[in-house]
Each structure stands twice: as C-alpha cells, then as structure tokens.
Amino acid sequence: MLLRPPTLGTARLTVLCVFSALGSYIWGYTTGILGTIYIAPGFLAALHKPTAPQFGMMTAFYYLGTWTSFVFIAPRLADMLGRRYAAFVGTCVVCVGTAVEAGAGGGRERGVAMMITGRVIAGLGTAVLSTSVPLFQAEITPAARRGKFVVLNHIGFVVGLASAFWVGYGMTFWKHHNGFNLSWRLSVAVLFIPAVIFLAGLPFLPETPRWLLEKGHTARAEKSLLWIRGSRTLTPSISAELEEIQNNIAYHHTHSIKSWKQLFRDPDLFARLWRAAVLQFLSQMSGSTAMKYYLPTNFLALGLGRRMALLAGGIESTLKIPCAIFGMTIIDRIGRRAALFIGAGVMVIALLINGALPLAFPNNKNRTSDYACIVFIFVFTFGYSIGFGPTTWVYGSEIFPTYVRARGLSLSASGGSIGSIVVAQIWPVAFQRIRSKTYFIFMSINIASIVIIYIFYPETKGKTLEEMDGLFGKITVGSDNIGMEKGDIMNEKQGHESPKEEEVLVGGDEKV
C-alpha cells in the first residue's frame, strides 16, 4: 500500500517548524562551542590559563544573562512584538555577544572579563530565542501533533550543539601560527552564518493566529491560519479552531487576568508555573549542563587526548540528533510523564557507572573501565534526549493560556537558568576536589526527580492549548485523572463545549 503524500497544510507546518528550529540551532551552537574552546591551547594562552572558578564564572554568567532575560525581557518581547520578531531581536543580541567573545584576550583578567560580558549578552539573546521558537511551534500546531513538532525545537538545539563540537574538532587540524591564535576565535564566529540565514527568513514567516487574535487582529489571524492549514476557504474545522481560541482569550479577558503577577496569585496558573519552573530546574540539575560545557574536559579526565576528546564530543553530540528524533516519534505515543520517567532512569544508571568505576579503578589504570565510562556518557545522552531534553520544553509551552504563555514559559525557563548557574559553579570545582564522586550528586537528583514527577505532574498528552484551563483545576496526586472544574465553568459560560483540536483538519482533509 502506497503512503499518502503529505497535504499542503502538513507540508507548510513542517517547513515552518523546521525553519524556526534554526533559532534553536543558534542556541545550541552558542552553548556547545564554549566546551570546545575551554581546552583550545590558543584560548588558554590568550586568557593566560583561567582557574577552575573562572571557568565556572564564564559558564555561569551566561545563565545569569538567560535568567535576567527570561524574567524581565523575553516574555515582554514575545507579547509585544510577536513570536517571529522576538526571535529576530534575540538573534541580533546573540550576534553581539558572540562578537565580544571572539575578541576576548589581553591577559587573564581582561580576557575573562570580555568572555563573561560576551556570555551575558549572548545569554540575554538565547533566552528570547529559546522561548519564542517553541511558542511559535506550539501555537501553529494542532494538539495531536504538537509534541512531535515542538520537539523540533530540541532537535535544532542538539544539531547546533553537535555542529559546535565538530567545528572545534576541525580546528585542531589548523596547525600553523595563525591557527593557534585564530582557530578558537573563528569557531566562535561561525555562528554568524546560521544567524544571517535565520534573520533573512524570519520576516517571511506568518505570525501565529493565537498571538494575532490576542492583539485583536481577527482578519490577519484568519488569513494566517488558512495559510498554515493549506486551505483557501474557511472550512468548518478551521472556523471551530478559530472560535475555540477566541473563546479562550475572551474568557480570560473577561476575568481580567492580564498581569504577570496573576501567575503567582491565581492558584490554577501558579500550579502550572511552579511545575514548569521546577521541571526546567530539574532538567539542568540532571547533569546535562555539565555534559554540555565540560564534556571534552570530562573525556580528558578519562585519559583521552585533546583531539580525541573533541572527536568523542562530536560523536556524542551527533548521537543526540537520532535520539532526539526518536524522542519526537514517541512523545505523543507514550506521553510526557513516561518519557520523563524513562529518561531519568537511564541517566541514573549512566551516572552511577561514571561515579563508581573510576573509584574502583583510579588514575586511568584500567582502560576497559575508562572506555565503559565513555560509553555510559553516551547512554546518559540517550536518556536526556528522550526525557528532560525535549519534554521540558513541550510541557512548558503547552500548559499556559494564550495571553500569559510567553510570560509563563519565560518565567518557568528561568528555573533552568538557576539550575545551570548552580551546576556551572559546582562541577569544575567539585570535579577538581572529589573527582568522579561528583557524578553521585547528580545521580541522586535524578532519583528525586522521578519521585517528584510521579507525584506532582499530570499528563498533558493530546490536550488542546485551550483545554489546559481545565487540566489544572483539580489535581489528583499520583494519577493522570485530572479534575475539570475550571474547564466546566468555561464551557458553561460559553454555552457550548470547545471543539477538540485533535479533530481540526490540516490541509483541508487530513485528521490530526
């Protein structure tokens, strides 16, 4: 039996989500390239061999920038400018920070200060990117497919991360004097290539219908949704989708929930906020931040040379891509909770092995033990890529109502920044002092995460963005059965039940 070709609506949806993931690619490259230059001889010479606490500061101050932006800048830009142009501004800011980083030098104090300044600026921009991209993807995608398409945000990130490691590896072959001084700077500056492509394409993307309706642009929202769904006429399914979004927005406007402070004051909204924020925090405290920034350093500790450490880092980061694609195929089948459980469980095993084997066979005396640790770092990657990696952003992007979605996702993402700051400061100093026992700290956090997710996190698979109002009305601890008190009130006020987004037709004739 021949497979049906995708409809026009499906094709357009795919292109939009893939192109928007280029913003996540920029985010991933900005994150990954730092780990490669930390062991670059030219970088170490230009900054006169920074100390372990200074390495921690260069990493942590990036997340100070992201935290500041998540709380004070990113949500305002996404609400004021829309998802596309917020991403545009964020990309420009990342480019400014990248330019400062590429020019760092002039001694240890000045060089470290320039790196910290560049990382803070880049952090301000990537926070805008990392919220506006999943918002854009979530708001143009029907519920039944949302997990798969929003996971493209994570795939873009890991492709950028892998690219950074391969660029760093490639630069090790630039042998002559200019290569020593310029290779690490050029590897940082490579980011300008995808940034220019992304900036050139963003103005041609349609704005999300939800944001347009929130701003009162009904005609533009209708035109946008028709184009995205691949339809020339307003079909009953598209009309129902528009009506559902309008009813949801009208409900919240009627009840005057317009301030970000309402996220803390309204019990149902706060129930979403703290869950999304804690999930972001746990995602970074799982050990993923250390694996991103200190991966080549971790490989050096297992006896690999500099070039082999970067090669292994490139392979590890590349393996994240098929792992993320695998995660994309299962997240809407097994659900968000199951993906988090499986991912955290796999990471617990990987961290246990990496903590225990170097204690049993210290000082790289047993090569089999060292190779086993390297393999289980790859296993850790698999666990993160199917669990916290994609699911954190999918969960956070889908649980907030339209008018506070940008603020809610940004504030919750600041929890991840706090976790990253903690890990960035702890890891280099702890690894210097207690070596592989550092892995046990993060193993324990992952075990605690499994318990926390089981007790406090309801399943959101298949729920429309508008149905989330009912999902968090009354939570049954440790169960997927969630009360619908607020949703019942909403439907009663509207005088009808909202159409389910799962029945919206994409491309005019394809159920999703």
Side-chain angles (χ1 to χ4, degrees):
M1 182 178 178
L2 295 176
L3 295 175
R4 272 177 55 185
T7 63
L8 179 59
T10 299
R12 284 178 176 174
L13 188 64
T14 303
V15 170
L16 289 173
C17 289
V18 169
F19 182 80
S20 62
L22 186 57
S24 302
Y25 175 95
I26 295 168
W27 170 31
Y29 191 92
T30 304
T31 301
I33 200 62
L34 200 64
T36 71
I37 67 174
Y38 275 172
I39 62 171
F43 173 80
L44 296 175
L47 273 68
H48 293 219
K49 295 184 179 179
T51 63
Q54 286 176 327
F55 277 120
M57 288 175 62
M58 285 187 280
T59 306
F61 269 84
Y62 167 77
Y63 287 105
L64 180 62
T66 63
W67 181 88
T68 303
S69 184
F70 280 138
V71 175
F72 299 108
I73 301 173
R76 287 175 173 80
L77 281 179
D79 283 339
M80 181 174 62
L81 302 179
R83 310 337 184 188
R84 293 178 303 156
Y85 287 107
F88 190 97
V89 172
T91 303
C92 291
V93 174
V94 171
C95 288
V96 173
T98 299
V100 175
E101 292 173 42
R108 180 188 291 182
E109 300 305 323
R110 181 182 175 186
V112 169
M114 288 185 69
M115 281 299 298
I116 289 174
T117 301
R119 294 305 289 174
V120 169
I121 296 172
L124 293 171
T126 54
V128 178
L129 273 176
S130 62
T131 51
S132 57
V133 169
L135 276 173
F136 179 86
Q137 293 168 334
E139 292 183 355
I140 66 172
T141 308
R145 288 184 169 186
R146 192 187 316 118
K148 178 171 68 175
F149 280 103
V150 176
V151 167
L152 285 169
N153 171 63
H154 181 64
I155 292 175
F157 174 83
V158 297
V159 172
L161 200 66
S163 299
F165 276 98
W166 286 117
V167 169
Y169 173 70
M171 291 297 173
T172 64
F173 293 92
W174 191 356
K175 289 291 188 180
H176 55 76
H177 181 71
N178 286 339
F180 180 85
N181 291 322
L182 298 179
S183 61
W184 72 270
R185 300 183 191 276
L186 181 60
S187 65
V188 172
V190 164
L191 177 130
F192 292 123
I193 298 173
V196 168
I197 296 171
F198 192 53
L199 290 171
L202 276 172
F204 298 98
L205 269 59
E207 189 51 81
T208 70
R210 285 182 171 86
W211 183 82
L212 291 170
L213 285 172
E214 175 67 27
K215 296 302 178 181
H217 304 304
T218 306
R220 288 178 60 195
E222 181 180 312
K223 182 179 179 181
S224 176
L225 188 60
L226 284 172
W227 189 88
I228 293 169
R229 298 292 181 257
S231 177
R232 294 184 178 180
T233 60
L234 194 62
T235 63
S237 60
I238 294 177
S239 296
E241 188 173 1
L242 283 168
E243 183 181 5
E244 180 179 13
I245 299 169
Q246 288 173 319
N247 287 335
N248 180 263
I249 293 171
Y251 169 79
H252 289 292
H253 281 186
T254 300
H255 288 72
S256 301
I257 310 175
K258 297 178 182 178
S259 170
W260 65 269
K261 296 177 183 177
Q262 199 66 34
L263 285 163
F264 296 91
R265 293 172 180 169
D266 184 278
D268 293 345
L269 290 178
F270 185 67
R272 308 169 195 226
L273 178 64
W274 77 257
R275 283 175 173 81
V278 170
L279 196 61
Q280 288 276 359
F281 179 77
L282 293 175
S283 174
Q284 300 308 314
M285 292 298 293
S286 68
S288 64
T289 297
M291 293 299 180
K292 288 195 290 276
Y293 285 107
Y294 304 114
L295 184 61
T297 305
N298 295 341
F299 284 140
L300 287 177
L302 292 170
L304 297 184
R306 173 174 168 258
R307 182 176 291 173
M308 284 301 297
L310 288 169
L311 176 61
I315 295 171
E316 188 267 355
S317 299
T318 303
L319 287 175
K320 288 179 179 176
I321 301 172
C323 289
I325 294 173
F326 176 70
M328 179 179 74
T329 64
I330 68 170
I331 192 170
D332 281 328
R333 297 190 181 191
I334 67 174
R336 288 39 165 165
R337 281 163 55 92
L340 290 167
F341 289 149
I342 295 170
V346 170
M347 289 190 291
V348 166
I349 296 171
L351 291 168
L352 174 63
I353 297 297
N354 270 273
L357 286 182
L359 291 177
F361 304 98
N363 301 320
N364 307 116
K365 292 179 179 178
N366 188 309
R367 299 307 297 163
T368 302
S369 169
D370 292 340
Y371 293 146
C373 288
I374 293 171
V375 168
F376 274 92
I377 287 177
F378 290 4
V379 172
F380 177 93
T381 296
F382 173 75
Y384 184 78
S385 296
I386 66 170
F388 278 120
T391 310
T392 298
W393 292 99
V394 172
Y395 201 93
S397 66
E398 67 186 357
I399 64 175
F400 294 103
T402 304
Y403 75 99
V404 292
R405 188 166 297 132
R407 290 188 178 102
L409 183 59
S410 295
L411 284 172
S412 61
S414 69
S417 295
I418 294 171
S420 295
I421 290 170
V422 173
V423 176
Q425 287 291 292
I426 288 176
W427 189 274
V429 177
F431 209 82
Q432 190 178 57
R433 295 180 180 178
I434 61 173
R435 306 301 293 174
S436 70
K437 293 178 184 177
T438 307
Y439 288 103
F440 294 141
I441 298 172
F442 297 95
M443 180 193 74
S444 302
I445 293 171
N446 279 290
I447 293 172
S449 297
I450 294 173
V451 177
I452 291 169
I453 292 164
Y454 177 78
I455 295 175
F456 295 110
Y457 285 78
E459 181 57 68
T460 58
K461 181 185 75 172
K463 299 292 183 181
T464 69
L465 294 174
E466 279 59 52
E467 285 177 329
M468 296 298 172
D469 286 331
L471 189 63
F472 290 93
K474 184 179 179 181
I475 299 174
T476 303
V477 174
S479 171
D480 292 342
N481 298 318
I482 310 299
M484 301 292 288
E485 291 176 354
K486 195 169 185 177
D488 293 339
I489 295 171
M490 179 178 172
N491 288 331
E492 182 179 341
K493 287 182 179 290
Q494 293 170 355
H496 67 279
E497 292 192 4
S498 297
K500 288 191 177 292
E501 205 167 351
E502 289 87 343
E503 298 177 358
V504 173
L505 302 184
V506 173
D509 62 354
E510 183 182 2
K511 281 196 174 184
V512 298

